[in-house]
Amino acid sequence: MSTQEAVTASILVIGDEILSGRTKDKNIGYIAEYLTAIGVDVCEVRVVPDIEDEIVAALNALRARYTYVFTTGGIGPTHDDITADAVAKAFGVGISVNAQARAMLLERIPEADLNEARLRMARIPHGAALVVNKISKAPGFWIGNVIVMAGVPSIMQAMLDEVAPQLKTGQVMLSETVRADAKEGDVGGPLAEIAKAHPGVSIGSYPFADELGQPNTNLVVRSREPDLLAAAMADVKAMLAARRA
């Protein structure tokens, strides 16, 4: 569903283990890159603890501001997996075991092993659509503009593949990169002038250490319009050529 209007998204990462540093997040970058490639702009990322009121407040703020909110984490079988309850509270709906979600769990878990803890993974806010999980079967869900996914990277990625074809998408952001062979501070001034001369184009500088360990910079030009991108990049390259001359 492509549209010329900007389609925006935020990512809400849920879990004490992320905030404590015990678990290193591997989902934010993946989601951002994935969505950017299909024309959805990720505009904000938040990380919140396993506290219902914190999740509800963040969720309500984000879903009012962006086209989509993608959440990761907190939909497992343990007592601190409270994302589903928090989402239900944010939307003001009930939550209970979903028959379809329960059936999905039984594709992987024998009926005799479907204890109270595992059954928590079938509790879905009323009115939500399920997001299929081809890996471990426990589904995510989609309610309003909020898409709730697992925190385990491989499962999250599979869920994202499931929902992507149903997303509204905008015009893809085009990007081109050039190596400056200069320190960031050396090109900062002229780069600012180029940026001022090309409204509608985003120009960023990203320092790195080159093969010899020397400071260097990548200059990245972004625009949704190919002509604007080409004009700005031409000026960037001309500026770099003039510095080398």
Side-chain angles (χ1 to χ4, degrees):
M1 292 179 286
S2 182
T3 174
Q4 293 304 305
E5 297 179 3
V7 180
T8 60
S10 60
I11 302 170
L12 180 61
V13 181
I14 300 164
D16 293 341
E17 69 278 9
I18 300 294
L19 289 168
S20 71
R22 181 181 179 278
T23 298
K24 307 297 186 289
D25 180 85
K26 297 180 180 179
N27 293 327
I28 294 172
Y30 184 92
I31 297 171
E33 186 174 16
Y34 191 112
L35 295 180
T36 297
I38 63 173
V40 179
D41 298 339
V42 175
C43 301
E44 185 173 351
V45 176
R46 295 194 192 186
V47 184
V48 295
D50 296 310
I51 299 174
E52 185 177 85
D53 288 347
E54 297 281 349
I55 300 170
V56 170
L59 194 59
N60 281 334
L62 295 172
R63 71 189 181 97
R65 188 172 183 183
Y66 302 108
T67 311
Y68 296 111
V69 181
F70 294 84
T71 81
T72 65
I75 58 172
T78 60
H79 71 283
D80 59 346
D81 287 312
I82 60 172
T83 298
D85 294 272
V87 173
K89 185 174 181 179
F91 279 87
V93 299
I95 183 171
S96 59
V97 172
N98 179 287
Q100 185 183 358
R102 186 180 188 278
M104 289 176 174
L105 292 181
L106 289 175
E107 293 177 20
R108 183 179 176 89
I109 303 170
E111 179 91 43
D113 292 339
L114 194 57
N115 56 25
E116 185 176 347
R118 293 190 176 98
L119 202 55
R120 285 178 56 82
M121 296 186 290
R123 296 172 70 253
I124 305 294
H126 298 169
L130 300 184
V131 175
V132 172
N133 168 5
K134 292 181 178 178
I135 296 179
S136 65
K137 298 302 180 180
F141 57 88
W142 183 339
I143 181 170
N145 62 339
V146 176
I147 298 160
V148 177
M149 304 182 295
V152 177
S154 60
I155 300 176
M156 182 282 297
Q157 292 168 20
M159 289 181 172
L160 193 56
D161 285 338
E162 290 291 329
V163 301
Q166 304 171 58
L167 298 174
K168 291 190 296 184
T169 57
Q171 192 173 355
V172 175
M173 181 69 76
L174 305 174
S175 176
E176 190 172 341
T177 302
V178 62
R179 175 169 162 155
D181 286 325
K183 297 178 182 177
E184 189 176 33
D186 294 335
V187 295
L191 203 63
E193 293 300 315
I194 294 172
K196 190 183 301 182
H198 293 275
V201 176
S202 170
I203 303 177
S205 63
Y206 303 93
F208 69 97
D210 66 17
E211 301 83 357
L212 300 176
Q214 299 300 310
N216 208 321
T217 312
N218 281 324
L219 305 181
V220 181
V221 179
R222 299 183 180 91
S223 177
R224 287 187 168 84
E225 301 297 333
D227 292 347
L228 297 182
L229 176 65
M233 180 53 79
D235 282 357
V236 169
K237 290 180 176 178
M239 177 270 289
L240 294 176
R243 283 196 77 261
R244 297 185 186 113

